[in-house]
Amino acid sequence: LQAYLFCVHPDDLTFIGPAVQRAHDPKGDGLFDVEHRIIRRDGQIRWLSTRSQTLFEGEGEARHAVRTVGAVIDITERKRADEALRASEERRSQAIRASAAGIFDHDHVTGEIYWSPELRDRLGWARDERVTLQAFTAGVLDEDRARLSAAVAAAHDPAGDGLFDIEYRLATRQG
């Protein structure tokens, strides 16, 4: 156990030590399920997912740990991919905020529409207000509505390229 704890990254010891103690506590369930970092002998830091079960014998005060069985998986690449995705999403969010461009996403299966906070602000919609296609198109000026409907239909056409590229006029909630 000490050899294992010796290689655990110092920042992760605060939760690893107590998790090990809980897993070996005869009053507990014996489960150990954590993701943590280790420092290898060569100095390389790796992420591990460790799941184990401590088995106990005896009853009451005589209950004691007899064996721990488990598995360890190196999840370093998954953690790197997660971090790269998080950083990419943050850069995208910063770019959208900086450009003041609004973005939307229309789920064709559920009909749900996502509007970014910037788009909601620009069009006068509350952050928690549900956007529907009907409510959105109601704000389109009458003389642009038919052209917009045709562009939406073309974008939804399975035989088409899915591109939605149109200029139209839209009244904000404040008119």
Side-chain angles (χ1 to χ4, degrees):
L1 179 62
Q2 289 303 343
Y4 165 70
L5 292 175
F6 180 75
C7 69
V8 172
H9 192 283
D11 293 345
D12 295 349
L13 283 172
T14 58
F15 65 88
I16 292 293
V20 169
Q21 287 177 340
R22 276 192 307 278
H24 293 121
D25 182 353
K27 296 176 185 162
D29 63 4
L31 184 62
F32 181 81
D33 188 5
V34 297
E35 292 182 356
H36 63 91
R37 293 165 292 175
I38 61 164
I39 303 174
R40 294 178 7 161
R41 287 182 179 160
D42 62 5
Q44 187 180 42
I45 296 175
R46 304 295 294 180
W47 276 94
L48 302 179
S49 174
T50 304
R51 184 173 175 93
S52 67
Q53 179 70 52
T54 299
L55 307 172
F56 300 94
E57 281 185 349
E59 298 293 326
E61 294 297 316
R63 189 169 190 238
H64 61 279
V66 292
R67 171 175 289 154
T68 300
V69 294
V72 178
I73 300 171
D74 186 327
I75 59 170
T76 304
E77 293 309 313
R78 187 193 85 205
K79 287 290 193 175
R80 286 182 184 150
D82 289 348
E83 178 56 28
L85 178 60
R86 187 204 59 74
S88 174
E89 288 174 349
E90 179 57 28
R91 283 190 299 277
R92 179 193 55 80
S93 293
Q94 288 173 354
I96 290 169
R97 283 192 303 272
S99 70
I103 62 167
F104 71 93
D105 177 27
H106 178 210
D107 185 319
H108 298 233
V109 175
T110 67
E112 290 293 317
I113 298 175
Y114 165 80
W115 278 3
S116 68
E118 295 79 11
L119 185 56
R120 288 174 174 278
D121 290 346
R122 180 164 286 157
L123 299 179
W125 287 62
R127 298 277 172 109
D128 60 347
E129 191 173 359
R130 186 169 182 267
V131 179
T132 65
L133 193 55
Q134 293 76 21
F136 161 69
T137 56
V140 175
L141 297 187
D142 289 339
E143 49 271 25
D144 293 345
R145 194 169 291 131
R147 204 167 37 82
L148 177 68
S149 293
V152 168
H156 292 185
D157 183 353
D161 61 7
L163 183 63
F164 180 72
D165 185 14
I166 184 173
E167 290 184 18
Y168 55 92
R169 294 168 292 170
L170 179 71
T172 67
R173 281 288 174 85
Q174 294 74 29

